Amino acid sequence: MDLRFPAGQFQKADSYSEDERARFIAEIEETPARLRAAVEGLTAEQLEAPYRPDGWTVRQVAHHLPDSHMNGYSRMKMALTEDEPTIKTYFEDRWAQLADTRTVPVEVSLALLEALHERWVTIWRSLTPAEFTRKFKHPDFGALTLEQHLALYAWHGRHHVAHITSLRERMGW
């Protein structure tokens, strides 16, 4: 198994069915609970363990999810309220080194992710089929539709939770 991608790599499609979109929304809705279960009962030492050699620690992964998903939430709202906006990227590796990621209890990010996903899922579920085709421009990847963005973030949550759960399995935690 590739420790970088325990849930497999993201596979972008040109479009998705209504059933697929509903499944992706359900995955996004479930991500906070899955992350909470993945870190439940871990010791301070275990939270500082990297999920793979030269990888982020469990703590960094747990804090990265709301960081990334807040960006995803904002990008979605821009795509819904602007005409194909160009979004701003960020250096996630640098964010993972900041004091909040290194020192704040994981519980803070769990609560943040729960609140964020409650709002995010509300918007996802309100979209019409036409709204799922709205786009934003990513400086590195070009134009993305909201349904591609949805699929990416459903995978993203699964991907990072799997980093933690696969580490726990390998370590017998």
Side-chain angles (χ1 to χ4, degrees):
M1 172 180 45
D2 184 342
L3 298 180
R4 293 172 303 156
F5 298 102
Q9 292 191 35
F10 177 65
Q11 301 294 319
K12 181 178 80 170
D14 290 335
S15 64
Y16 297 93
S17 71
E18 186 176 335
D19 287 344
E20 287 171 314
R21 290 191 307 262
R23 183 172 45 90
F24 296 147
I25 294 168
E27 285 186 59
I28 287 175
E29 183 175 41
E30 295 163 4
T31 295
R34 288 181 177 167
L35 179 61
R36 183 174 289 282
V39 300
E40 187 175 354
L42 291 179
T43 66
E45 182 178 273
Q46 290 167 332
L47 288 171
E48 298 309 321
Y51 73 88
R52 67 175 173 88
D54 299 318
W56 284 346
T57 66
V58 171
R59 178 184 305 279
Q60 287 172 307
V61 171
H63 288 307
H64 166 71
L65 274 166
D67 284 348
S68 174
H69 291 203
M70 282 188 292
N71 276 284
Y73 173 74
S74 294
R75 291 168 180 176
M76 174 205 209
K77 290 184 89 163
M78 284 186 273
L80 289 169
T81 60
E82 301 173 28
D83 186 25
E84 207 167 310
T86 299
I87 57 97
K88 180 161 181 357
T89 61
Y90 71 105
F91 295 103
E92 61 184 34
D93 57 330
R94 295 179 190 175
W95 284 38
Q97 299 304 319
L98 295 174
D100 63 328
T101 303
R102 290 184 290 106
T103 62
V104 169
V106 171
E107 177 58 40
V108 173
S109 280
L110 295 173
L112 178 57
L113 193 67
E114 288 165 351
L116 174 64
H117 278 229
E118 185 173 339
R119 290 188 61 186
W120 206 8
V121 167
T122 297
I123 297 173
W124 282 124
R125 288 198 170 126
S126 76
L127 298 186
T128 66
E131 286 171 320
F132 277 106
T133 67
R134 291 188 62 88
K135 297 178 182 179
F136 62 81
K137 293 177 196 156
H138 191 290
D140 298 328
F141 306 114
L144 294 172
T145 64
L146 282 182
E147 67 181 355
Q148 290 169 327
H149 186 62
L150 170 64
L152 174 63
Y153 275 89
W155 169 85
H156 187 257
R158 192 170 58 250
H159 166 70
H160 284 302
V161 169
H163 283 151
I164 299 167
T165 57
S166 67
L167 172 66
R168 288 188 78 147
E169 187 175 309
R170 290 191 316 275
M171 300 301 290
W173 296 341

